[in-house]
Amino acid sequence: MRLPGSGARRIRPGAATGARRGRAGLAGLVVAGLVLALAGAWAYARGPRAGRAADAGPPHTTVEVSSGGCGRGWDEPVPGVQVFDLRNTSDRAAEAYLEDSRSHAVYGEVEGIGPGTTRSLTVRVGKGSYTFRCLLEDADAVTGPTVRVASGRGGPAAAPVTQHDLIPPALDYQKWIAGALEETVRLTGRLRDAVDRGDLAAARTAWLPAHEQYERLGAAYDAFGDADGRINGTDAGLPGGVHDPSFGGFHRIEYGLWHGEGARTLRAPAAALVREVTALRDDWAQARMDPAQLGLRAHEILENTVQFELTGRTDYGSGTNLATARANLDGTRAVLSRLRPLLASRHAAPDGLDRAVDRAANLLDGFRHGDRWTPLDRLTRLQRERADAVLGDLVERLASVATLCDPRRTS
C-alpha cells in the first residue's frame, strides 16, 4: 500500500523513486475546509454565492474574520441551516471555527482564508450558544461575541483534538512498529536464504509473508523516509521500467520469482532488501513520527489500497493484491486501536466503524484458500463489485477519523 504525502508513501516517495502515489485527498480537504460527517461537524468550504433569491437556499450571513472583529456580523440568529460567508479583513491568512461557547465543541471550520477573501461555511444551528474563533497566522486565537439561538436542533459537533492529545497514541504506535520491524527482518531473512539456496519454490512461498508483514506498517511509511521506496517501491517513473537498475525491493524480487529469473539474478536484490529492512529496524529507535499524521494515515492506508491494490497496479506476477489489501486492513486496525480513546467521545458511530472494518476483513478472508489468494483477474464481476463497494465504503467512513484527529489550534 502507499500513502500520499509530501514524500510520504502510503505515503510513498515520488515517482522517481518508484513510488505509488502523490499526496492527495485528505490534505486537499483539510486545506479547503472539512467535512465532519459521521464523526463530527458538518462543514464545507466553497465560494460565496451572491445575488441569490431569499427562497433559493439557506440564509447567508457575512461574518468578519480578524483580530479586532472576529465574529462580527452575526446579529440576527435564527435556527436551521446557515451559510456564513467568512470575510478575512486582516492582512494574514486565517482559519475560523464555529464553536459551542461552553464546551468549545466544533460545529464547522474553514481553513486557508486568504487576506481580503471570503470563504463560506455551511452548518445547522439550533438552541444553544455559539461563538466564532478566529486564528490568524502567527497570532493568538481570538474569540468573538457569544450568539444565542433560542430554538431548533443544531447539527453535530466534536471536541477538537490537539497535538498533545495525539502524542500518547503515536508513541504507543511507534513501539508497535519496533516489534513489527523485528518480524519483518526475520521474514525477509527467510526469503533471502531461500534465494541463496537456489530454492525458488521456497522463495515464492516466503515472499508473501514477508511482504504482508511490511504492508502492515502503513502509518509509519512517512517516518521511513527514502528507505520505503527502496524496500517497497515500484518501477513507476524509472526509465528502464522493471529492468531499470534502480528497481529493487519486494517488487523487484516478486517480478523475478514469477517471471522465470534464476537465483543468481535475484541474490543481490534479496540481500539488498534484507540490508534495508535491518537498517530500518536498527535506526527506528531514533525515528520520530509526527503525531498529527496518525489520523490521516488511518484513512490513507486504505485509500491507497483501493487505488493501487484493487486495481492490480502493484502486481508484478504473484497475484497477491488481495493479500496485500488484507495486510493493509490489519495496519488500519493497528492505527484505529490507538486512536480509539480519542474517537470514543467524538465519532458519531465508533461501533459502526468497527463493524465496517470487520465486514471488509471477512470479505477479503473469503478470497484466501490456505496459503493461496485468488488473483484479481480470477474474481467474478460480482466479486469485484462487492470488493470495490465494501472497501470504498470503509474508506469514506475513515475520512471522518482523519478529520476528527486533525489537530486544531486552541490558542
Side-chain angles (χ1 to χ4, degrees):
M1 152 208 106
R2 332 283 176 231
L3 295 184
S6 44
R9 162 198 171 205
R10 275 158 110 122
I11 305 171
R12 286 203 156 212
T17 61
R20 298 191 191 180
R21 50 196 124 276
R23 190 174 181 90
L26 259 281
L29 180 62
V30 170
V31 171
L34 296 174
V35 184
L36 303 182
L38 292 173
W42 284 94
Y44 60 91
R46 52 191 179 184
R49 293 170 292 174
R52 294 188 60 171
D55 60 351
H60 283 244
T61 301
T62 299
V63 174
E64 183 175 342
V65 177
S66 69
S67 294
C70 180
R72 188 160 53 195
W74 190 16
D75 302 320
E76 299 179 2
V78 294
V81 176
Q82 314 279 310
V83 178
F84 294 104
D85 296 318
L86 304 177
R87 177 70 177 172
N88 183 358
T89 61
S90 76
D91 60 356
R92 305 179 184 187
E95 54 192 271
Y97 303 162
L98 179 63
E99 301 180 338
D100 183 290
S101 64
R102 296 185 179 88
S103 69
H104 301 294
V106 177
Y107 287 90
E109 69 179 287
V110 174
E111 298 182 356
I113 313 173
T117 63
T118 300
R119 302 281 298 283
S120 294
L121 170 69
T122 301
V123 294
R124 186 176 69 244
V125 299
K127 185 175 182 179
S129 58
Y130 302 83
T131 56
F132 275 99
R133 182 184 293 260
C134 303
L135 300 100
L136 276 63
E137 192 174 62
D138 300 322
D140 292 336
V142 177
T143 301
T146 298
V147 175
R148 291 178 173 80
V149 177
S151 63
R153 180 175 62 87
V161 169
T162 67
Q163 184 91 0
H164 181 76
D165 294 330
L166 290 166
I167 291 174
L171 290 175
D172 186 61
Y173 183 76
Q174 281 192 233
K175 292 179 182 177
W176 179 80
I177 289 291
L181 283 172
E182 288 284 356
E183 181 67 0
T184 305
V185 170
R186 186 183 72 82
L187 292 172
T188 53
R190 178 183 294 176
L191 169 61
R192 177 203 56 201
D193 292 346
V195 171
D196 285 347
R197 294 194 309 269
D199 189 345
L200 297 187
R204 283 188 287 270
T205 299
W207 182 88
L208 181 57
H211 188 238
E212 286 177 308
Q213 178 65 13
Y214 187 79
E215 289 282 351
R216 295 186 178 102
L217 314 182
Y221 291 136
D222 191 26
F224 291 173
D226 293 342
D228 176 60
R230 295 190 296 269
I231 292 170
N232 206 27
T234 71
D235 69 323
L238 298 179
V242 295
H243 302 296
D244 195 282
S246 298
F247 183 37
F250 279 111
H251 292 304
R252 169 65 185 90
I253 298 169
E254 177 188 9
Y255 180 83
L257 287 173
W258 275 273
H259 286 84
E261 292 187 5
R264 177 180 297 181
T265 305
L266 294 175
R267 283 181 184 129
L273 175 62
V274 173
R275 286 196 301 271
E276 290 288 351
V277 295
T278 301
L280 190 60
R281 178 202 63 187
D282 294 343
D283 293 343
W284 185 246
Q286 285 73 49
R288 291 294 178 268
M289 289 184 60
D290 180 1
Q293 298 295 311
L294 202 57
L296 181 63
R297 301 316 179 207
H299 172 267
E300 285 185 334
I301 291 171
L302 286 187
E303 183 183 49
N304 288 297
T305 300
V306 170
Q307 184 180 1
F308 295 94
E309 306 307 336
L310 294 192
T311 61
R313 289 169 62 182
T314 53
D315 180 16
Y316 285 83
S318 67
T320 57
N321 285 110
L322 293 174
T324 300
R326 185 62 175 84
N328 293 165
L329 191 62
D330 289 340
T332 299
R333 282 191 193 272
V335 179
L336 289 176
S337 67
R338 285 151 181 89
L339 293 174
R340 191 171 304 282
L342 297 178
L343 295 173
S345 61
R346 293 173 173 86
H347 198 285
D351 292 342
L353 182 61
D354 290 338
R355 287 193 294 272
V357 174
D358 290 340
R359 184 163 58 249
N362 290 335
L363 172 77
L364 292 172
D365 287 343
F367 300 126
R368 181 172 186 170
H369 313 283
D371 294 332
R372 293 184 172 273
W373 288 78
T374 303
L376 285 174
D377 60 6
R378 301 283 181 84
L379 297 182
T380 66
R381 179 176 178 178
L382 182 61
Q383 288 174 322
R384 287 297 298 264
E385 290 175 349
R386 177 66 173 161
D388 290 344
V390 170
L391 272 295
D393 172 72
L394 181 55
V395 168
E396 290 188 15
R397 292 172 183 268
L398 290 169
S400 62
V401 174
T403 54
L404 284 173
C405 294
D406 180 37
R408 290 163 174 81
R409 284 178 57 190
T410 57
S411 63

